[in-house]
Amino acid sequence: MSTLLSFLPPFPSLPSPLTPLLATLAALAGALLLFPLLRLARRRPSPHRRPPSAAAPLPLLGHALSYHASPTAFLLSQRSRIGPIFKLNLAGRRVVVVCGGREAAKKVATAAERVLSARRAMEAVGLGESLGAVNVGLGAEFHRKVLKEGMGAAATAELAPSVLAAIGAAVGVELEAAVERGGEVADLMAMVRRCMVRCVVAMFIGSEVLRRLGDSFVHDFIAFHDAAENATLKAALLPHALALPLFLLPVARKRRKITSQLAAAIASLLKDRKEVQNGTQSNLDASFGAGPWIRAFEFFRLETEDAAELSAGLLFSAHKSSAIGATQAFLFCHEQGGELLRQAVEDSRKVHRCPRNDKGITLDLSDTLRRCVKEALRLTAHPIGAVRTVVSPKGFLLPAPDGEPYWVAPGEMIALSHIAVHLDEAEWGADAAQFNPERQRWSTPRAPDEYAHATFSQGVHKCPGEHMALMMMRSALAVLLGGEYEITPAMPLPPLSSERTTLAQRAAAVAVRVRRATGEAGAADLTACMPCDPPS
């Protein structure tokens, strides 16, 4: 071989400045040629079948545009064509969506974090930037601990009169201003959101914190929340490298502004409390308007910055869905009208006529308000929720309706569609798409189970604030229907829109007329307090 090579002419030498450049280009070309070959060599056929893909993807974008245009309609259409389990391509991000099947939903919902990771999924769609590392890593467990250990079901029930009063006061301020302006509110849902932000801060963080934040904070927080929602949606539909600079980093800056406002108010409150030497803890809490989250921050000795991050996370998860759920229930009642609206108004007035100590009991006994809120939540549930990333190296076997399971690869995402289950005629009847609070499924407070009514998710990551949120929604509905002001929306109402990542809203702002009520809704009346029969 060496003899043969000696007869070949020498390879011409290259100018030295070009040699490194050409060598680099040659290496890159080789890598580009070898990479697909290596991937093919490493790819092995799975012993299990893969989930079918949704129909009609576009080049590069996959199903992103079709899904974004109308999430609910898109999911229902794919379910009817393909079946209850299929894979979406959202601009390169593969997500296996479960649109039905109790066995599959239960296996996803009850899988351990080491198998299906909620945290990894949150980070993948940009919540690490929009909500911050503290909320992604610690938020859910911290809020669960405060709700269950620091408050409990009894404390939640005892809070009902205070929550009702706080929402009533916030709504009253907004509606009185509207009456003075001529009696019109341009966007009812936006108004209720502002009221709910004030209520959540006052009741759970502290009324004194709300006072120190001022009204500007309410508008700043709502703007941040909407920007974070938009960034999360874009991050789910776009490659991360594109979504990060365009949407996620700007919303992270908005979050830092919000948390700095919260940190300043919390630090000021805690400083003033420490300067008071006398009095019991309960007196201190009452004097300084400290809510259960402030007490938890002190108990766990959290840094002020972490307390502010967790407060922002609490507001993010607690205010908007409660506001939307209550407002949608109010609007559905007006759309249906007739006996349902009359009974809902009467039940709301009973709550307001009661003495303070009986308001929570009367609210709980109002079967009409409970049914209306839960039925509204059924029709406005998230198109996709409970998103998880497969982290088990073995992948994940997803039960399929026809027997043989589907295999989902490590690194891929699985999501449960709440709205698809809620609109399933096999589960809810032929009128599944209609508002009907008289359904037999609502005959008892606990029916149906979490796999038929999935608004608050299921399994190991079920929302710990379900009971609190339902109480807040019933309270807000009672204020809107039976408070000191009569609120009348213009009919017909805009249709539902599920484009946002929260509960479905309306396709346009809902303007309402407002006037002071002429009845005696706010007067105490012991005889009218308890006529509601407990639900059977």
Side-chain angles (χ1 to χ4, degrees):
M1 178 66 69
S2 60
T3 305
L4 177 62
L5 289 177
S6 66
F7 285 96
L8 293 177
F11 191 79
S13 60
L14 296 171
S16 57
L18 293 179
T19 303
L21 176 61
L22 291 178
T24 302
L25 292 176
L28 287 174
L32 290 174
L33 290 173
L34 286 174
F35 183 69
L37 297 176
L38 290 174
R39 289 195 62 183
L40 288 173
R42 294 178 59 187
R43 185 178 298 169
R44 298 176 182 177
S46 169
H48 304 288
R49 65 173 180 160
R50 301 281 276 151
S53 294
L58 295 174
L60 298 179
L61 294 176
H63 306 97
L65 292 181
S66 301
Y67 175 82
H68 179 62
S70 181
T72 298
F74 174 81
L75 293 174
L76 295 179
S77 171
Q78 296 294 336
R79 183 178 67 179
S80 66
R81 296 172 66 177
I82 299 171
I85 299 174
F86 49 84
K87 182 188 291 186
L88 297 184
N89 175 3
L90 301 177
R93 188 189 306 279
R94 267 66 176 181
V95 183
V96 176
V97 183
V98 179
C99 288
R102 182 178 297 261
E103 185 181 356
K106 187 172 184 178
K107 186 168 183 182
V108 171
T110 57
E113 180 73 13
R114 67 180 182 276
V115 178
L116 297 182
S117 175
R119 182 179 302 180
R120 288 274 295 274
M122 292 171 68
E123 292 170 347
V125 298
L127 289 178
E129 289 82 12
S130 56
L131 287 183
V134 173
N135 278 303
V136 171
L138 303 174
E141 188 57 35
F142 180 85
H143 299 316
R144 190 188 310 275
K145 188 177 290 290
V146 177
L147 281 165
K148 290 192 174 181
E149 298 180 12
M151 297 176 65
T156 299
E158 291 170 2
L159 272 176
S162 298
V163 170
L164 189 68
I167 295 175
V171 170
V173 169
E174 292 269 0
L175 295 184
E176 183 61 29
V179 169
E180 293 177 358
R181 291 194 305 268
E184 183 171 335
V185 173
D187 188 346
L188 180 65
M189 198 166 292
M191 187 205 82
V192 178
R193 281 187 66 189
R194 293 193 296 271
C195 295
M196 204 62 80
V197 169
R198 295 185 177 96
C199 177
V200 172
V201 176
M203 292 301 307
F204 305 124
I205 303 173
S207 57
E208 182 61 20
V209 172
L210 178 62
R211 188 190 70 79
R212 297 179 190 217
L213 286 168
D215 276 346
S216 62
F217 173 81
V218 176
H219 298 279
D220 289 345
F221 185 84
I222 289 176
F224 155 69
H225 190 135
D226 289 344
E229 263 188 18
N230 181 60
T232 302
L233 180 62
K234 297 297 190 298
L237 300 178
L238 293 174
H240 187 74
L242 191 60
L244 185 65
L246 293 179
F247 301 103
L248 297 177
L249 292 182
V251 85
R253 289 193 290 270
K254 291 179 181 291
R255 188 196 81 248
R256 287 192 290 270
K257 177 184 176 183
I258 288 294
T259 54
S260 67
Q261 291 176 266
L262 283 164
I266 292 171
S268 173
L269 172 66
L270 296 179
K271 179 177 179 293
D272 289 348
R273 277 164 58 95
K274 288 180 181 178
E275 292 177 355
V276 177
Q277 301 297 324
N278 301 320
T280 63
Q281 184 65 42
S282 60
N283 287 336
L284 283 173
D285 291 342
S287 300
F288 288 93
W293 263 257
I294 286 288
R295 296 195 292 273
F297 297 151
E298 290 185 302
F299 179 80
F300 290 107
R301 299 181 180 179
L302 294 180
E303 297 290 337
T304 304
E305 292 75 13
D306 291 343
E309 292 275 10
L310 290 168
S311 297
L314 170 69
L315 271 173
F316 195 92
S317 59
H319 100 273
K320 188 172 184 181
S321 291
S322 298
I324 293 174
T327 307
Q328 292 285 32
F330 171 85
L331 297 176
F332 279 125
C333 284
H334 277 273
E335 279 185 313
Q336 184 156 326
E339 178 60 21
L340 171 70
L341 180 59
R342 187 202 67 78
Q343 186 61 55
V345 170
E346 179 57 28
D347 280 12
S348 299
R349 289 176 176 169
K350 289 174 185 176
V351 173
H352 287 281
R353 288 195 294 258
C354 285
R356 177 182 174 87
N357 291 341
D358 294 328
K359 289 183 184 295
I361 298 173
T362 308
L363 190 67
D364 281 343
L365 291 179
S366 174
D367 197 34
T368 303
L369 297 181
R370 176 183 64 83
R371 287 171 176 262
C372 288
V373 165
K374 287 204 167 185
E375 179 72 352
L377 290 176
R378 185 183 70 81
L379 292 177
T380 59
H382 298 68
I384 288 181
V387 184
R388 308 284 181 261
T389 297
V390 179
V391 294
S392 170
K394 297 180 180 179
F396 188 79
L397 289 178
L398 191 60
D402 56 355
E404 185 183 353
Y406 294 120
W407 182 73
V408 185
E412 292 185 326
M413 302 177 79
I414 302 177
L416 303 181
S417 174
H418 298 165
I419 194 64
V421 173
H422 290 183
L423 298 181
D424 188 351
E425 294 185 0
E427 186 77 47
W428 292 94
D431 66 341
Q434 305 303 315
F435 179 76
N436 178 14
E438 298 302 319
R439 296 179 189 280
Q440 184 62 31
R441 300 295 294 269
W442 302 127
S443 60
T444 60
R446 291 187 176 274
D449 68 28
E450 61 190 10
Y451 293 100
H453 191 251
T455 298
F456 293 95
S457 200
Q458 315 101 327
V460 296
H461 295 288
K462 184 176 176 64
C463 176
E466 176 180 0
H467 298 299
M468 182 69 71
L470 288 172
M471 183 264 287
M472 291 170 63
M473 288 182 225
R474 292 200 307 272
S475 297
L477 179 59
V479 168
L480 295 174
L481 286 172
E484 298 178 3
Y485 299 85
E486 292 181 4
I487 307 171
T488 308
M491 306 300 285
L493 294 172
L496 291 178
S497 172
S498 57
E499 286 188 28
R500 308 294 292 183
T501 56
T502 51
L503 299 179
Q505 298 173 63
R506 295 281 170 162
V510 178
V512 296
R513 296 290 301 172
V514 181
R515 68 185 183 94
R516 295 183 186 92
T518 56
E520 300 179 354
D525 183 354
L526 295 177
T527 61
C529 181
M530 302 299 292
C532 301
D533 294 327
S536 57

